[in-house]
mmCIF file of all heavy atoms in Angstrom:
data_model
loop_
_atom_site.group_PDB
_atom_site.id
_atom_site.type_symbol
_atom_site.label_atom_id
_atom_site.label_comp_id
_atom_site.label_asym_id
_atom_site.label_seq_id
_atom_site.Cartn_x
_atom_site.Cartn_y
_atom_site.Cartn_z
ATOM 1 N N VAL A 15 3.174 0.922 10.224
ATOM 2 C CA VAL A 15 3.603 0.425 8.916
ATOM 3 C C VAL A 15 3.252 -1.051 8.742
ATOM 4 O O VAL A 15 3.046 -1.505 7.617
ATOM 5 C CB VAL A 15 5.107 0.645 8.629
ATOM 6 C CG1 VAL A 15 5.435 2.097 8.530
ATOM 7 C CG2 VAL A 15 5.974 -0.048 9.626
ATOM 8 N N PHE A 30 -6.751 -10.085 -7.058
ATOM 9 C CA PHE A 30 -6.451 -11.195 -7.961
ATOM 10 C C PHE A 30 -7.553 -12.250 -7.892
ATOM 11 O O PHE A 30 -7.965 -12.800 -8.909
ATOM 12 C CB PHE A 30 -5.102 -11.830 -7.614
ATOM 13 C CG PHE A 30 -3.925 -10.902 -7.698
ATOM 14 C CD1 PHE A 30 -2.785 -11.155 -6.956
ATOM 15 C CD2 PHE A 30 -3.938 -9.761 -8.495
ATOM 16 C CE1 PHE A 30 -1.686 -10.310 -7.013
ATOM 17 C CE2 PHE A 30 -2.848 -8.908 -8.561
ATOM 18 C CZ PHE A 30 -1.723 -9.186 -7.822
ATOM 19 N N ALA A 49 -9.051 -2.850 0.797
ATOM 20 C CA ALA A 49 -8.377 -1.833 -0.027
ATOM 21 C C ALA A 49 -8.507 -0.443 0.597
ATOM 22 O O ALA A 49 -7.530 0.311 0.660
ATOM 23 C CB ALA A 49 -8.944 -1.846 -1.445
ATOM 24 N N PRO A 77 23.610 13.985 7.144
ATOM 25 C CA PRO A 77 24.594 13.038 6.598
ATOM 26 C C PRO A 77 24.122 11.586 6.716
ATOM 27 O O PRO A 77 23.491 11.204 7.693
ATOM 28 C CB PRO A 77 25.842 13.266 7.462
ATOM 29 C CG PRO A 77 25.679 14.635 8.017
ATOM 30 C CD PRO A 77 24.206 14.860 8.165
ATOM 31 N N ILE A 83 16.149 8.578 3.810
ATOM 32 C CA ILE A 83 14.805 8.892 4.302
ATOM 33 C C ILE A 83 14.025 9.670 3.235
ATOM 34 O O ILE A 83 12.827 9.454 3.052
ATOM 35 C CB ILE A 83 14.872 9.666 5.630
ATOM 36 C CG1 ILE A 83 15.493 8.801 6.734
ATOM 37 C CG2 ILE A 83 13.500 10.168 6.056
ATOM 38 C CD1 ILE A 83 14.703 7.576 7.114
ATOM 39 N N ALA A 84 14.703 10.560 2.517
ATOM 40 C CA ALA A 84 14.042 11.315 1.442
ATOM 41 C C ALA A 84 13.534 10.364 0.362
ATOM 42 O O ALA A 84 12.413 10.523 -0.138
ATOM 43 C CB ALA A 84 15.001 12.347 0.858
ATOM 44 N N ARG A 85 14.327 9.375 0.009
ATOM 45 C CA ARG A 85 13.894 8.387 -1.000
ATOM 46 C C ARG A 85 12.714 7.571 -0.470
ATOM 47 O O ARG A 85 11.743 7.331 -1.176
ATOM 48 C CB ARG A 85 15.057 7.473 -1.362
ATOM 49 C CG ARG A 85 14.669 6.351 -2.312
ATOM 50 C CD ARG A 85 15.878 5.604 -2.834
ATOM 51 N NE ARG A 85 15.554 4.358 -3.472
ATOM 52 C CZ ARG A 85 14.898 4.221 -4.611
ATOM 53 N NH1 ARG A 85 14.489 5.283 -5.259
ATOM 54 N NH2 ARG A 85 14.651 3.020 -5.111
ATOM 55 N N ALA A 90 6.972 6.434 -0.546
ATOM 56 C CA ALA A 90 5.748 6.321 0.251
ATOM 57 C C ALA A 90 4.645 7.201 -0.326
ATOM 58 O O ALA A 90 3.473 6.798 -0.351
ATOM 59 C CB ALA A 90 6.029 6.697 1.701
ATOM 60 N N LEU A 103 -10.655 1.676 -7.566
ATOM 61 C CA LEU A 103 -10.952 0.541 -8.448
ATOM 62 C C LEU A 103 -11.633 -0.595 -7.691
ATOM 63 O O LEU A 103 -12.572 -1.215 -8.195
ATOM 64 C CB LEU A 103 -9.661 0.003 -9.072
ATOM 65 C CG LEU A 103 -9.148 0.676 -10.309
ATOM 66 C CD1 LEU A 103 -7.771 0.131 -10.675
ATOM 67 C CD2 LEU A 103 -10.104 0.485 -11.465
ATOM 68 N N VAL A 105 -13.460 -0.504 -4.839
ATOM 69 C CA VAL A 105 -14.834 -0.173 -4.448
ATOM 70 C C VAL A 105 -15.739 -0.139 -5.673
ATOM 71 O O VAL A 105 -16.853 -0.677 -5.652
ATOM 72 C CB VAL A 105 -14.876 1.160 -3.665
ATOM 73 C CG1 VAL A 105 -16.297 1.625 -3.459
ATOM 74 C CG2 VAL A 105 -14.161 0.999 -2.328
ATOM 75 N N VAL A 131 -5.948 -6.272 -11.396
ATOM 76 C CA VAL A 131 -4.750 -7.114 -11.421
ATOM 77 C C VAL A 131 -3.512 -6.261 -11.707
ATOM 78 O O VAL A 131 -2.493 -6.374 -11.016
ATOM 79 C CB VAL A 131 -4.900 -8.252 -12.454
ATOM 80 C CG1 VAL A 131 -3.576 -8.968 -12.680
ATOM 81 C CG2 VAL A 131 -5.971 -9.232 -11.996
ATOM 82 N N GLY A 134 -2.908 -3.979 -8.818
ATOM 83 C CA GLY A 134 -2.514 -4.835 -7.698
ATOM 84 C C GLY A 134 -1.037 -5.201 -7.753
ATOM 85 O O GLY A 134 -0.355 -5.232 -6.728
ATOM 86 N N ARG A 143 9.157 -1.705 -2.488
ATOM 87 C CA ARG A 143 10.156 -0.641 -2.658
ATOM 88 C C ARG A 143 10.184 0.303 -1.457
ATOM 89 O O ARG A 143 11.256 0.691 -0.989
ATOM 90 C CB ARG A 143 9.866 0.145 -3.935
ATOM 91 C CG ARG A 143 10.106 -0.672 -5.197
ATOM 92 C CD ARG A 143 9.847 0.135 -6.439
ATOM 93 N NE ARG A 143 10.946 1.093 -6.597
ATOM 94 C CZ ARG A 143 10.849 2.198 -7.305
ATOM 95 N NH1 ARG A 143 9.726 2.516 -7.907
ATOM 96 N NH2 ARG A 143 11.881 3.014 -7.418
#
Side-chain angles (χ1 to χ4, degrees):
V15 295
F30 300 155
I83 296 296
R85 175 170 166 68
L103 276 172
V105 171
V131 169
R143 292 181 73 202

